[in-house]
Each structure stands twice: as structure tokens, then as C-alpha cells.
Amino acid sequence: MAAALNHIMQDDSLAARLFAGHDYKRSLVGDSLVEPDDIMRIQVPPETENIGFFDALAHFFASVPWIVYAIIGVALLALLARWLISNGLLGDGFSHTGRVESADGDDIYDIDYEKEMKSAMHAGDYSTMVRLIYLRTLRTLDEEGRIVWRIYKTPTEYAAELRQPAFATMTRHFLRVRYGRFDASEALYEEMRALQAEVEKGGEA
């Protein structure tokens, strides 16, 4: 076959008839308007690389407007400040003036104990009298620095903080009356008074 091809190419008359006036370079690109020299300047786009998870994540964060980060930052700072204040870690957020209600709804620094005790005694309301004795004891302990009164703390936490049997007993009685719907009696009121005296002098019952 190669010999036949050479014979054709050596035959000037046949070659002239087949290829006379033919533009061999342009035949490489057919009849398009692309110039042969332009073929070398065509750049083949590189293959698309697989984008990793972290690269995609970085691209996402880079596309988020800065104002979004500012809003998130302010919100986080506000939450942090609120947590620090509620846990007593940011200044004296709860001084004796301007106190807010405690977890059980009683502000120990906003009660007129003498007035309310007289009113409860007149009405024979021993449940209120037991409650007032306990809250008054809390205030005394806080003023003496033996406990730290805070809005989020419960009576059980105060008992664990003081670690005094007399106060632990007072706390149990208070919880039974205040939340257990236990009807207080005159005997219980007298017991609370005795326990209060033991707690205030630092003794045990």
C-alpha cells in the first residue's frame, strides 16, 4: 500500500490534478474562519479541581457580609455579660439596694418584716409567719457574709452553703410550707423561732 501511495505522489500529473491549488495548512482547520496560526494560541482550560470541605467552608465565610459577624459578636457578648452577672462574676450586680425578686418570688431586702409579721400573727397565719422567719434569717446571714444571696439560688443551695444543721432544718420546714402545701401550726412556728436563734448565734440544733 505504501508503494502505491509513493507512486501516486511521484506522479506529477496525478498529484497536480488532486492537489493543485490546495491550501494544506488551512485544510487542518477545515472551512472555519480560524487561522492556522491561531490554533497554537488556544488555551485548553485546566481540569476542574475537586473542592474540599474546608475550602468550600472558607469560601462561604468569605462571602458573608461583615455586618453579619458584627451582629453575632454583639449577641454573644450580651449573652456572656448576662451569664456573668447572673452568676455574680461581674461586679456586685446585686447590691442591697434595688434588688430584684429571688427565685421563689421573695425579695428579702424589700419586706417590712415587723409589719407583715404583726399582720400574720393577728390573722393566725402561721404559714406566712414561718415564711417570714426563714426569709429574715436569710437576710441576716447575707448581711453577715455567711451566705451570698443571689436571684438564681434556691433554699437548698443556701443550706448546702451554710452547712449548719439548724439552718438545714429551717430550710426543710420552709420548703414544706411554701411549696408542699403543708399547713403550718403554732408549734412549727415556735420551732422555727428556736432554730432561727440557733442559726444566728452559729450554734447547732
Side-chain angles (χ1 to χ4, degrees):
M1 182 175 181
L5 180 61
N6 290 333
H7 175 73
I8 293 173
M9 296 302 296
Q10 290 174 1
D11 187 346
D12 293 337
S13 61
L14 180 59
R17 289 197 303 272
L18 292 174
F19 303 106
H22 190 75
D23 189 344
Y24 301 104
K25 293 175 67 178
R26 185 170 292 278
S27 67
L28 295 176
V29 295
D31 296 330
S32 68
L33 298 178
V34 179
E35 294 297 330
D37 293 337
D38 292 338
I39 296 177
M40 301 305 298
R41 290 193 289 270
I42 298 176
Q43 297 182 356
V44 178
E47 295 182 0
T48 303
E49 298 181 357
N50 292 327
I51 301 177
F53 170 77
F54 292 104
D55 292 333
L57 193 62
H59 178 72
F60 169 76
F61 284 113
S63 64
V64 176
W66 68 268
I67 190 65
V68 176
Y69 293 113
I71 294 174
I72 294 175
V74 171
L76 291 176
L77 287 175
L79 290 174
L80 177 61
R82 182 176 180 180
W83 181 84
L84 291 173
I85 291 174
S86 66
N87 286 276
L89 301 177
L90 190 63
D92 184 22
F94 300 93
S95 60
H96 290 177
T97 59
R99 286 180 180 257
V100 295
E101 288 187 342
S102 64
D104 60 8
D106 295 309
D107 183 344
I108 63 175
Y109 284 91
D110 193 33
I111 297 175
D112 187 337
Y113 292 96
E114 292 185 7
K115 178 181 178 180
E116 293 198 22
M117 183 63 77
K118 288 180 180 179
S119 177
M121 291 179 67
H122 180 73
D125 186 354
Y126 292 107
S127 294
T128 297
M129 293 163 67
V130 166
R131 165 179 164 268
L132 291 172
I133 287 177
Y134 184 78
L135 296 178
R136 186 66 183 88
T137 304
L138 280 182
R139 175 168 173 170
T140 299
L141 293 173
D142 185 49
E143 290 173 339
E144 293 177 352
R146 296 169 64 187
I147 64 169
V148 179
W149 186 79
R150 289 289 184 265
I151 186 174
Y152 56 86
K153 295 170 71 172
T154 65
T156 303
E157 289 178 298
Y158 293 124
E161 184 177 347
L162 187 62
R163 295 182 179 276
Q164 185 179 5
F167 184 67
T169 302
M170 286 190 73
T171 300
R172 286 195 298 271
H173 290 330
F174 171 77
L175 291 174
R176 289 175 62 200
V177 172
R178 185 65 191 273
Y179 302 108
R181 297 183 178 181
F182 178 79
D183 291 331
S185 63
E186 182 177 1
L188 180 60
Y189 164 67
E190 293 297 337
E191 183 182 352
M192 288 290 285
R193 288 185 62 189
L195 290 168
Q196 181 188 43
E198 291 291 336
V199 171
E200 290 182 350
K201 70 180 182 181
E204 297 185 2

